[in-house]
Amino acid sequence: MAGVMTGFGNFTHAVVRAIPSSLAKEALRMNVLDVDLVKAQREHEVYVGVLKHKLGLQVIELPADESLPDCVFVEDVAVVCGDTALITRPGAESRRKETEAMRRALKELDLNIVEMSDENATLDGGDVLFTGREFFVGLSKRTNQKGAEILADVFKDYAVSTVPVTDGLHLKSFCSMGGPGLIVIGTSEPAQKALKIMQQMSDHRYNKLTVPDDIAANTIYMNLPSKGHVLLHCTPEEFPESAKVFEKLKDHMLIPVSNMEKVKVDGALTCCSVLINKKPKV
Amino acid sequence: MTTEVGSETEVRKEPEKAEEQPAAPEPAATNQTDEAKAAEQSANDHPAPATESAEAPAEAKEKQEEAQPADNATPQEGEDTPASPPASEKKGISRFLPPWLKKQKSQSQVGPKESQAAPKEEAGVASVKEEDGEKEEQAEAEQTSSPTAAQPQVEEEKINGEPKPEQKEEVKSEEKEEENHSTGSADTQPAKEEKAAEESQEKSAAEEENKEAEEGGEEKKDEEESPKPEGGHSFIKSPLKLTKKVKMVMCHVTMLDGSQFPCEVEKRAKGQYLFFKVYEALNLLEKDYFGLSYKDNADQTCWLDPTKEIKRQIRNATWQFAFNVKFYPPDPSQLTEDITRYLLCLQLRQDIVSGRLPCSFVTHSLLGSYALQAELGDHDSGEHRLDYISDFQFAPSQTKEMEEKVVELHKTHRGMTPAQADAQFLENAKKLSMYGVDLHHAKDSEGVDIMLGVCANGLLIYKDRLRINRFAWPKILKISYKRSNFYIKIRPGETEQFESSVGFKLPNHRAAKRVWKVCVENHTFFRLMTPEAPIKAKFLTLGSKFRYSGRTQAQTRQASTLIDRPAPYFERTSSKRISRSLDGAPMINVTEAQESAPTSGENGREPGLELSSDSKVEEEPSEGAAATPTEGTEMKGDEPDSSQQSGRLRVQGENIYVRHSNLMLEDLDKTQEDVLKHQASISELKRSFMEATPEPRPSQWEKRLTASPATSLRLQAQGSADDKQKSGEAAWQAAEVEIEETVVVEEIRVAPKGSVTITTPAVITPVAVESEVEKPKDEVMEEQKRPVSVSSDSEEEEEEEEAGEYHPQVTVSASVDQIKEEPEEEGEEEEEQQVNEESVAEPLPEPVVEVKAQPVPAVVEENSATEPQLAPVAEESPEDILVTPDEAPNGHAESPEDHQGPVALEEEEEEPRVNGDASHSETERLPQVICCSEPPVVKTEMVTISDTFAAQKTEIATKEVPIVHTETKTITYEAAQLDGSGDGEPGVLMTAQTITSESLCTTTTTHITKTLKGGLSETRIEKRIVITGDSDIDHDQALAQAIKEAKEQHPDMSVTRVVVHKETELAEEGED
């Protein structure tokens, strides 16, 4: 029997959602940039393809909803850890309805669904960094204290520490897990500051992998039975310097995935999927 | 239960005897065997008296004295006493005694005979009488034994009642014995007098008073002494006393499996004895992770200190204890024995069920399945129907779904041995974030409710369920508490140059002290290789010297490697468990657990007890009624006074924390509930300054100054401003707090003054002594002296005055040791101290040493030191100083500025100097000139002093100091460069502290004065150290040492003035 906190990075399923055409014009973004919808959709297809074919995950693809321009960023609407899924209350009001499809999908996967019903709480999954031993929750424009509290209440086994996010959209806009005990972190001052806070707040020791570009620090780590350590990260085309850093990870199966278009609407790699470890029924 | 006791005691007798002599930590034997032991001891000891004839009687007296006052002290006993349970009772009881008890009696008889032999040789006269005494002893033995037998069956309530009458009888018998002995030995009269006193106590209260006064004084001495060097002697001596007067009390210890362990203990036994009994009963070797907890009067859970008398710790509370895990091993797999792991499992199961250790559904199920496997073995589908599990409780609220899950998982553990299942249980439980975290309710600087979680790694700060900050032990330079405030000083980060301090407001002083103690203990246990030696000898380190006295984890690990015994057999709980809670009403249990959990949560361990039954007769009904299962889960704001206990856990959000706390740390003493509820007003918080300002030393010294009547008055005046504080004490505490805050430390000048007073043996009232001492100083010292009148008794007694400091850093030798605490026993101890002072007090010569650090220009605002002014200042500055926990996390990474207002920053910067921490020891110290004002007499002393300080002193100037008392000789050494700025101003009285040792009484006062000069503000901190000693003391040496220590502690300070004050004739005055 698997114990508590084992198998970090081991995933069997992924939930993704297609890109609505409204994304190009209507999706929220911090900087005004034009998005090439077609390129974005192609990127996303590649992304899903990697999960499905290259990594062998069972991918649940939710259809796009034109009324929800940001719906491709499924990470923000659900936090899944173990058998429990917390359906969040996204900080952006326009995104609240994105949870509905996700809720259904996760229910079908037979996860324990917990709703964030408190109307004072907001939480974007992009602010939730799960390290395998604990949670860090960024307090950002999208996530507030109450949301973090609810998350802490849902995942009682784990320490939940809050990290102020003063710059950038989400906590994971400049960091992510690159392996067990390995935090990939951007070099910007806010990123480094956040890292320090996380290190201070944690009982555990984390190694850090610093990359020159903040957004390149958003990677997807998996530990798959057949593949070992897997890291999805930025492409050299996007961030040549950062990509070099990842190449130092000798133990990882490195998979560069392009994210040039989605990043324009503040979508990072992790934003586009919810990863789930579904144990086979006993 | 009776049988257990009997068997245990019998078995143990021999080993204990052996132990007692050498190690002797276990004071008086308590159980039925005690009599026998005592007798034996006496036998051993008697030879000693012969050799040391004089000493023995004296000791005996002391002990008697101690005992007597104790009797008086406990009201309950007093009530019972008059009736003084006559022989008839004894006989009656004895009839019912089981045979094995009688055997013991016979044994005890044997003991006495032996003892007789020894005494007879030397005191032939006494022998006859002694025999009588022995007979009495036997009678006592019967009595004592009878209670033991009977009590277990009887309920707790009886505990209070039954033992008492018997005790008194014992007293009488003891008295008689005493007489015999005394005649035999040497000091007949004193002993008799005391006896008379005792008798008189029983008979007439009036007579008692006189003697009590004396006795009280002596008592106090003894008590104080005992912890110190003399402790060893006292142990040995105690046996003697024991033979004569052994008052037994029945303790009930709730074990981790919910069973009750009754244990009879000598009334004055130390915690250690009970510990030993419990460990022995459990057959537990790796005992250092465990402790005994009790509930104090405020229903807060406290840890029993092994080194102190039980009675003094529990005070008027019931003799009800719980055996709990005190230090949760971070890696249980490193424990050596399965039985240790098993006990840890039991604790964790309590923690989980009570809610202190929050778990997810999955984890509840998984842990539950391991518990099932450990207790029941493999799942047997035939034998185990689904409901077999309903007897078990796995979670605070347990659902059918969870039970099904547990069963499902249980099936997968097939083949796993109980030990393996326990190990798996622990492997999973240890990863839980609240494993081993002891939670305490507190408020941050803004008055926001938070939780302080003490654990193996450091201090965690929670707000609601979120961790908002964490201070690892290596990050913490100093831990201190003052009044109801708890402070930590943070090691500066890479980018920071200065230390910062964070302060928290706890519900009350005791809560603050509990947190502090827990931190000290956890730091020591988990971070140090060996416990720090208690601080005893230093004069300057005043205050109580609490430290963790047990073994550290490193030591216990090492010790456990030596364990060489076959794995002991132990029975797993199933039977007991059933009796405990499961059968009864699961629902009720759940609610109780939750509610009780909160209660226990505060302190820790009690959940088990409560579940079991008796412990909370009072509480349960009310709580039960109030508590709904749902409540347990939901967060509730604690309500201050009314339902502290119930309130604690009910709040869900808080419950969680509370639960955690219970689980993790085992907590020492926490009043989470109280904390939350308590009002700690924001303003107070603000006012309370972090320890940073005062510096390590100051806090110690604070006691005295604060105590001074003048100060207190002011304080009160100021305090009145604070509406929030409820009690008068609180009010003035607040006031003091303000003052402290005021003390922004920019520049620090510390002027410790040590005056060594040599006292003649005569007894002087403490107040008188102090006042005398100080007054001269005041006069002598120019402006600097303030209301030095050290301590008013009342204040000292109050707990609030206490402050404790502890420097977790191992690196700095000097700082490491500073754990400052004030009288641990609080009221009692303090009283004792004073008493001692009195007794010691005949001031002869007093050297006064002032140490001043040169003022460093600070940017800080100026606060005039004047007392009236202080109040406003205090209010303002404190706010800045306090760091909100929320902010803190970020802030630490950043510069201190983030946290604090400009003022605060500056303060912090300067703090280092003030504190004289090793880290900052580099601070500039300027060579000081010492001026000596010599009164006519003592010149020699001057020389000595100058020698000590030679390097630093340039000049010696002489001044004539007006001395208060005619017969006083005063020598003053004064630094040439006293700051004019500081002089005129009254300054703030920071702290006053008095430490009393056998021969010395040291009083330290700290004043802080702020001056604004040309845009620069200076803060001067002056410390005055007054050492009062009896004639035995070489005041030169004392002075030298005082200066030396002052230097060590505050390298940045300089000694500006040394006054030696000799008052020869004061004795008369002092007596009054």
Side-chain angles (χ1 to χ4, degrees):
Chain A
M1 174 64 199
V4 179
M5 302 180 198
T6 56
F8 175 63
N10 188 0
F11 299 110
T12 57
H13 293 65
V15 178
V16 298
R17 195 163 192 181
I19 296 180
S21 51
S22 58
L23 175 132
K25 302 290 183 191
E26 300 173 34
L28 303 173
R29 67 204 75 187
M30 300 181 75
N31 302 306
V32 182
L33 295 171
D34 288 336
V35 177
D36 184 330
L37 181 62
V38 176
K39 280 176 75 176
Q41 287 173 331
R42 190 178 309 135
E43 267 179 11
H44 191 58
E45 285 168 16
V46 173
Y47 177 91
V48 174
V50 168
L51 297 178
K52 193 188 296 184
H53 304 297
K54 200 155 189 172
L55 301 177
L57 300 182
Q58 296 190 42
V59 177
I60 293 94
E61 298 187 62
L62 304 177
D65 184 333
E66 290 302 327
S67 66
L68 300 171
D70 292 298
C71 68
V72 64
F73 303 121
V74 291
E75 175 188 51
D76 290 328
V77 299
V79 177
V80 178
C81 182
D83 292 338
T84 302
L86 172 64
I87 305 299
T88 68
R89 189 167 180 276
E93 192 154 1
S94 64
R95 301 191 58 188
R96 302 263 161 85
K97 287 191 173 176
E98 293 178 26
T99 57
E100 294 170 2
M102 178 61 72
R103 181 181 300 110
R104 281 193 299 272
L106 295 178
K107 267 184 182 164
E108 285 180 10
L109 287 171
D110 202 23
L111 296 176
N112 304 313
I113 307 293
V114 180
E115 301 283 347
M116 185 174 286
S117 51
D118 190 324
E119 295 196 346
N120 295 319
T122 62
L123 180 82
D124 274 14
D127 279 316
V128 178
L129 177 66
F130 179 62
T131 69
R133 293 301 302 270
E134 63 190 315
F135 285 96
F136 292 105
V137 177
L139 298 180
S140 66
K141 300 178 183 68
R142 299 284 180 84
T143 300
N144 64 19
Q145 176 99 5
K146 190 70 187 169
E149 283 175 25
I150 291 173
L151 181 123
D153 210 22
V154 171
F155 302 105
K156 287 195 175 72
D157 291 350
Y158 301 96
V160 177
S161 305
T162 55
V163 182
V165 175
T166 53
D167 222 21
L169 180 62
H170 286 140
L171 175 63
K172 282 196 282 190
S173 296
F174 50 76
C175 68
S176 65
M177 294 306 292
L182 177 63
I183 294 177
V184 183
I185 188 75
T187 46
S188 74
E189 191 179 323
Q192 291 296 318
K193 191 171 145 189
L195 176 66
K196 262 191 182 163
I197 292 169
M198 290 190 284
Q199 287 174 327
Q200 178 185 331
M201 302 272 271
S202 175
D203 296 324
H204 309 290
R205 294 208 167 181
Y206 295 103
N207 296 316
K208 64 174 180 179
L209 181 67
T210 306
V211 296
D213 308 287
D214 273 6
I215 194 62
N218 183 287
T219 65
I220 298 176
Y221 167 78
M222 289 184 230
N223 184 4
L224 302 177
S226 54
K227 308 278 193 295
H229 299 290
V230 176
L231 191 67
L232 278 60
H233 62 84
C234 64
T235 60
E237 291 75 26
E238 298 169 274
F239 302 106
E241 295 303 317
S242 295
K244 284 182 193 167
V245 175
F246 290 116
E247 288 165 5
K248 293 176 185 170
L249 295 172
K250 299 303 182 190
D251 294 339
H252 287 57
M253 173 181 180
L254 299 173
I255 306 176
V257 177
S258 173
N259 196 40
M260 296 184 78
E261 293 303 321
K262 284 182 285 189
V263 80
K264 293 176 181 173
V265 286
D266 306 314
L269 286 177
T270 59
C271 294
C272 301
S273 62
V274 170
L275 301 176
I276 297 156
N277 182 21
K278 189 85 191 110
K279 291 158 193 152
K281 266 289 181 183
V282 180
Chain B
M1 302 183 70
T2 23
T3 46
E4 288 183 356
V5 176
S7 61
E8 290 177 357
T9 49
E10 290 180 0
V11 175
R12 293 172 193 167
K13 283 186 177 180
E14 292 183 359
E16 285 188 349
K17 295 174 183 178
E19 292 180 1
E20 287 182 358
Q21 290 296 348
E26 344 285 279
T30 10
N31 287 349
Q32 302 164 345
T33 39
D34 292 350
E35 290 291 343
K37 293 179 181 177
E40 293 178 359
Q41 290 179 352
S42 64
N44 297 335
D45 294 344
H46 281 283
T51 52
E52 306 172 354
S53 59
E55 294 181 358
E59 295 175 357
K61 290 181 181 179
E62 291 179 356
K63 294 181 179 181
Q64 283 187 349
E65 292 176 357
E66 292 181 359
Q68 293 178 356
D71 295 348
N72 297 336
T74 2
Q76 297 176 347
E77 295 179 355
E79 295 175 357
D80 296 351
T81 39
S84 80
S88 63
E89 278 194 10
K90 300 176 182 177
K91 294 178 181 177
I93 297 174
S94 61
R95 295 175 188 170
F96 299 99
L97 292 178
W100 54 270
L101 278 178
K102 292 179 181 176
K103 281 188 178 180
Q104 286 189 349
K105 296 176 184 176
S106 64
Q107 291 178 353
S108 64
Q109 291 178 354
V110 176
K113 291 176 182 177
E114 295 177 356
S115 64
Q116 290 178 359
K120 286 180 181 177
E121 293 179 356
E122 296 182 355
V125 180
S127 62
V128 177
K129 294 181 180 179
E130 287 185 358
E131 291 181 356
D132 295 345
E134 292 177 358
K135 292 178 181 178
E136 292 179 356
E137 290 180 358
Q138 294 176 359
E140 293 179 0
E142 293 180 359
Q143 293 178 355
T144 52
S145 62
S146 62
T148 27
Q151 285 184 355
Q153 299 172 350
V154 184
E155 294 193 1
E156 296 177 354
E157 296 178 356
K158 293 183 179 179
I159 297 176
N160 298 335
E162 290 186 351
K164 298 173 183 177
E166 296 174 356
Q167 291 177 355
K168 291 196 172 181
E169 288 186 358
E170 293 178 359
V171 175
K172 292 179 180 178
S173 62
E174 292 176 0
E175 293 177 358
K176 295 177 181 178
E177 291 181 2
E178 285 281 356
E179 291 179 358
N180 298 337
H181 287 288
S182 63
T183 46
S185 45
D187 302 341
T188 323
Q189 292 180 349
K192 289 181 179 178
E193 289 180 356
E194 293 180 357
K195 297 173 183 177
E198 291 180 354
E199 294 176 357
S200 64
Q201 290 177 355
E202 294 176 354
K203 297 174 183 175
S204 66
E207 293 179 0
E208 292 180 1
E209 292 180 355
N210 297 336
K211 297 192 175 180
E212 283 186 3
E214 295 177 356
E215 292 177 358
E218 293 182 2
E219 239 198 72
K220 295 176 179 178
K221 278 188 175 181
D222 293 346
E223 292 175 354
E224 288 186 353
E225 291 176 356
S226 63
K228 301 174 182 178
E230 295 185 359
H233 292 285
S234 64
F235 285 114
I236 298 175
K237 296 173 182 177
S238 63
L240 260 181
K241 302 173 182 177
L242 295 179
T243 48
K244 301 170 184 177
K245 33 174 169 181
V246 178
K247 299 184 181 179
M248 306 303 286
V249 175
M250 182 59 81
C251 297
H252 289 261
V253 180
T254 303
M255 306 302 252
L256 285 169
D257 61 8
S259 63
Q260 288 286 323
F261 172 73
C263 182
E264 200 179 26
V265 165
E266 184 200 352
K267 196 169 177 195
R268 301 189 68 83
K270 298 198 175 183
Q272 206 157 7
Y273 180 78
L274 187 55
F275 276 90
F276 177 79
K277 285 300 185 188
V278 172
Y279 299 142
E280 192 179 44
L282 289 169
N283 199 13
L284 175 65
L285 292 183
E286 291 175 287
K287 60 185 191 308
D288 302 289
Y289 298 97
F290 301 85
L292 293 174
S293 63
Y294 65 93
K295 294 255 186 174
D296 66 9
N297 296 332
D299 201 46
Q300 301 300 313
T301 305
C302 306
W303 289 108
L304 190 65
D305 187 334
T307 64
K308 294 181 180 165
E309 286 183 16
I310 297 171
K311 183 173 171 296
R312 294 199 150 264
Q313 298 181 64
I314 63 171
R315 297 188 175 180
N316 293 329
T318 60
W319 291 68
Q320 175 77 40
F321 305 91
F323 176 73
N324 290 107
V325 173
K326 187 174 184 183
F327 303 109
Y328 289 70
D331 187 1
S333 66
Q334 291 193 29
L335 295 174
T336 299
E337 294 200 298
D338 287 340
I339 188 173
T340 315
R341 269 187 288 274
Y342 166 68
L343 292 171
L344 178 56
C345 281
L346 289 180
Q347 176 70 61
L348 289 169
R349 285 165 65 178
Q350 266 186 30
D351 294 344
I352 290 168
V353 169
S354 68
R356 285 173 297 172
L357 181 55
C359 301
S360 65
F361 174 88
V362 174
T363 303
H364 275 136
S365 306
L366 181 63
L367 295 178
S369 68
Y370 286 124
L372 272 189
Q373 180 71 20
E375 281 198 17
L376 303 180
D378 291 347
H379 177 80
D380 183 338
S381 54
E383 181 182 339
H384 295 154
R385 294 161 302 170
L386 182 56
D387 58 350
Y388 78 105
I389 192 184
S390 57
D391 284 350
F392 286 80
Q393 193 168 0
F394 306 108
S397 58
Q398 186 164 322
T399 62
K400 199 70 184 170
E401 184 187 7
M402 183 178 292
E403 292 181 358
E404 289 169 358
K405 183 74 175 172
V406 170
V407 173
E408 176 185 320
L409 293 170
H410 182 200
K411 291 175 184 172
T412 66
H413 303 326
R414 182 167 300 280
M416 200 177 276
T417 67
Q420 288 170 330
D422 281 345
Q424 284 300 313
F425 179 98
L426 295 176
E427 280 308 294
N428 285 282
K430 77 175 186 189
K431 295 176 185 171
L432 296 171
S433 74
M434 298 309 288
Y435 172 85
V437 177
D438 183 14
L439 290 180
H440 302 248
H441 288 278
K443 289 176 187 283
D444 66 10
S445 59
E446 295 176 351
V448 177
D449 285 328
I450 58 169
M451 303 285 298
L452 301 179
V454 185
C455 66
N457 294 325
L459 182 64
L460 303 169
I461 316 297
Y462 295 91
K463 182 178 178 186
D464 294 320
R465 279 145 275 198
L466 300 174
R467 184 185 293 182
I468 57 175
N469 209 344
R470 172 180 176 272
F471 303 98
W473 293 127
K475 254 296 228 191
I476 299 177
L477 286 169
K478 189 172 75 176
I479 308 165
S480 61
Y481 72 95
K482 176 145 180 101
R483 311 257 147 54
S484 58
N485 298 309
F486 172 74
Y487 308 104
I488 54 176
K489 179 183 286 186
I490 310 301
R491 183 186 295 279
E494 307 164 355
T495 59
E496 304 159 358
Q497 292 186 350
F498 302 103
E499 302 159 356
S500 57
S501 289
V502 182
F504 305 96
K505 180 80 173 177
L506 282 101
N508 53 48
H509 169 79
R510 304 192 107 207
K513 182 177 175 181
R514 269 198 296 273
V515 173
W516 177 82
K517 262 188 162 181
V518 180
C519 284
V520 170
E521 291 181 321
N522 274 268
H523 173 262
T524 305
F525 185 81
F526 290 111
R527 295 283 305 173
L528 300 185
M529 293 304 293
T530 60
E532 299 172 10
I535 307 172
K536 293 180 180 178
K538 291 187 180 180
F539 307 167
L540 298 187
T541 347
L542 304 182
S544 63
K545 320 84 188 167
F546 169 79
R547 304 196 172 175
Y548 173 65
S549 56
R551 289 196 289 206
T552 64
Q553 180 174 242
Q555 288 174 321
T556 194
R557 280 180 177 168
Q558 190 169 13
S560 59
T561 60
L562 302 178
I563 293 177
D564 182 20
R565 66 173 182 182
Y569 170 79
F570 57 93
E571 187 179 347
R572 286 171 198 268
T573 52
S574 49
S575 58
K576 298 172 184 173
R577 163 182 49 77
I578 292 173
S579 63
R580 204 192 190 184
S581 58
L582 308 181
D583 299 344
M587 292 305 296
I588 295 175
N589 288 336
V590 175
T591 50
E592 287 181 359
Q594 290 179 347
E595 295 176 354
S596 64
T599 11
S600 59
E602 297 175 353
N603 299 328
R605 358 305 48 217
E606 304 284 348
L609 295 179
E610 298 165 358
L611 292 179
S612 58
S613 60
D614 21 353
S615 58
K616 306 194 169 176
V617 177
E618 300 174 357
E619 298 176 357
E620 288 183 355
S622 61
E623 292 182 357
T628 351
T630 40
E631 290 181 346
T633 9
E634 299 174 356
M635 299 184 55
K636 295 182 179 179
D638 293 358
E639 301 170 359
D641 297 345
S642 61
S643 59
Q644 297 175 347
Q645 300 171 346
S646 60
R648 315 161 184 172
L649 294 189
R650 294 176 189 171
V651 176
Q652 258 201 337
E654 296 178 356
N655 282 343
I656 295 177
Y657 295 108
V658 173
R659 298 168 185 174
H660 296 299
S661 64
N662 289 339
L663 291 182
M664 307 317 301
L665 288 192
E666 332 205 336
D667 27 15
L668 321 176
D669 351 343
K670 311 185 168 180
T671 39
Q672 297 174 347
E673 301 170 355
D674 293 354
V675 175
L676 292 180
K677 298 174 180 178
H678 270 287
Q679 44 329 14
S681 60
I682 298 174
S683 63
E684 292 179 357
L685 291 178
K686 297 176 180 179
R687 293 180 180 178
S688 62
F689 77 95
M690 316 317 301
E691 47 163 308
T693 14
E695 304 331 292
R697 294 306 151 181
S699 62
Q700 295 179 347
W701 317 8
E702 296 169 1
K703 299 177 181 178
R704 276 303 158 141
L705 295 181
T706 47
S708 67
T711 323
S712 62
L713 291 179
R714 303 176 220 151
L715 296 179
Q716 290 180 352
Q718 296 176 350
S720 62
D722 297 352
D723 297 345
K724 298 181 179 179
Q725 296 189 347
K726 301 174 182 178
S727 64
E729 298 177 354
W732 80 253
Q733 292 179 356
E736 290 183 359
V737 173
E738 292 178 356
I739 293 177
E740 293 177 355
E741 294 176 357
T742 333
V743 182
V744 177
V745 182
E746 302 242 314
E747 314 171 351
I748 305 160
R749 290 192 173 183
V750 177
K753 308 170 181 179
S755 63
V756 177
T757 308
I758 297 177
T759 52
T760 60
V763 179
I764 301 173
T765 46
V767 177
V769 174
E770 293 177 354
S771 62
E772 292 177 356
V773 174
E774 293 176 354
K775 289 177 182 178
K777 294 176 183 176
D778 293 350
E779 295 176 356
V780 174
M781 325 288 272
E782 297 144 15
E783 305 75 309
Q784 301 171 346
K785 305 99 198 210
R786 272 102 222 200
V788 180
S789 60
V790 177
S791 50
S792 63
D793 299 352
S794 62
E795 292 180 356
E796 289 183 354
E797 294 178 359
E798 294 177 358
E799 296 177 358
E800 295 91 15
E801 292 184 344
E802 296 181 3
E805 292 185 358
Y806 174 77
H807 294 250
Q809 303 300 339
V810 182
T811 350
V812 181
S813 61
S815 61
V816 174
D817 292 276
Q818 316 170 337
I819 300 177
K820 304 176 179 179
E821 184 188 344
E822 309 206 14
E824 299 180 1
E825 309 301 26
E826 277 120 321
E828 294 181 358
E829 288 189 355
E830 291 187 337
E831 291 177 358
E832 293 178 359
Q833 285 188 350
Q834 290 181 352
V835 174
N836 293 339
E837 293 177 359
E838 294 178 356
S839 61
V840 177
E842 291 197 352
L844 296 180
E846 318 169 347
V848 177
V849 179
E850 288 187 2
V851 179
K852 291 186 181 181
Q854 277 195 343
V856 179
V859 183
V860 182
E861 301 172 357
E862 207 219 85
N863 298 329
S864 62
T866 331
E867 300 170 354
Q869 296 175 349
L870 295 180
V873 175
E875 294 177 357
E876 297 176 357
S877 59
E879 296 179 355
D880 296 345
I881 298 175
L882 293 179
V883 177
T884 323
D886 300 356
E887 298 174 353
N890 303 336
H892 288 289
E894 303 170 357
S895 61
E897 298 175 356
D898 297 347
H899 315 266
Q900 305 173 347
V903 176
L905 291 179
E906 294 174 358
E907 290 181 358
E908 290 181 356
E909 294 179 357
E910 292 185 358
E911 292 178 1
R913 301 171 188 170
V914 175
N915 296 339
D917 290 343
S919 59
H920 293 270
S921 58
E922 336 95 3
T923 51
E924 8 33 7
R925 174 192 310 164
L926 300 184
Q928 302 289 334
V929 179
I930 296 182
C931 309
C932 301
S933 60
E934 281 192 19
V937 189
V938 187
K939 295 180 181 179
T940 6
E941 297 166 353
M942 293 176 49
V943 177
T944 336
I945 297 170
S946 61
D947 292 350
T948 347
F949 247 135
Q952 301 175 353
K953 304 171 183 175
T954 353
E955 254 186 318
I956 296 179
T958 321
K959 283 187 185 177
E960 283 240 352
V961 180
I963 298 173
V964 178
H965 299 276
T966 35
E967 300 180 356
T968 312
K969 301 174 183 178
T970 303
I971 298 179
T972 305
Y973 301 82
E974 191 169 336
Q977 17 155 324
L978 295 179
D979 290 358
S981 62
D983 294 351
E985 299 176 0
V988 179
L989 183 57
M990 288 296 298
T991 59
Q993 218 177 16
T994 300
I995 294 179
T996 306
S997 62
E998 303 175 4
S999 56
L1000 290 179
C1001 172
T1002 306
T1003 301
T1004 304
T1005 56
T1006 305
H1007 289 267
I1008 295 183
T1009 308
K1010 280 192 178 182
T1011 314
L1012 188 53
K1013 279 187 181 178
L1016 294 182
S1017 76
E1018 289 184 353
T1019 301
R1020 168 191 292 183
I1021 299 177
E1022 297 178 1
K1023 294 186 181 180
R1024 173 186 300 172
I1025 302 162
V1026 178
I1027 303 166
T1028 307
D1030 41 32
S1031 54
D1032 298 345
I1033 297 174
D1034 175 352
H1035 59 276
D1036 290 341
Q1037 184 180 349
L1039 180 58
Q1041 185 169 354
I1043 295 172
K1044 182 182 172 189
E1045 290 184 2
K1047 277 298 195 178
E1048 290 177 358
Q1049 295 177 358
H1050 305 278
D1052 38 335
M1053 300 180 184
S1054 56
V1055 177
T1056 55
R1057 195 175 291 169
V1058 176
V1059 178
V1060 178
H1061 185 74
K1062 222 178 197 176
E1063 296 180 1
T1064 323
E1065 295 185 356
L1066 294 180
E1068 297 174 358
E1069 298 175 356
E1071 292 177 356
D1072 301 353

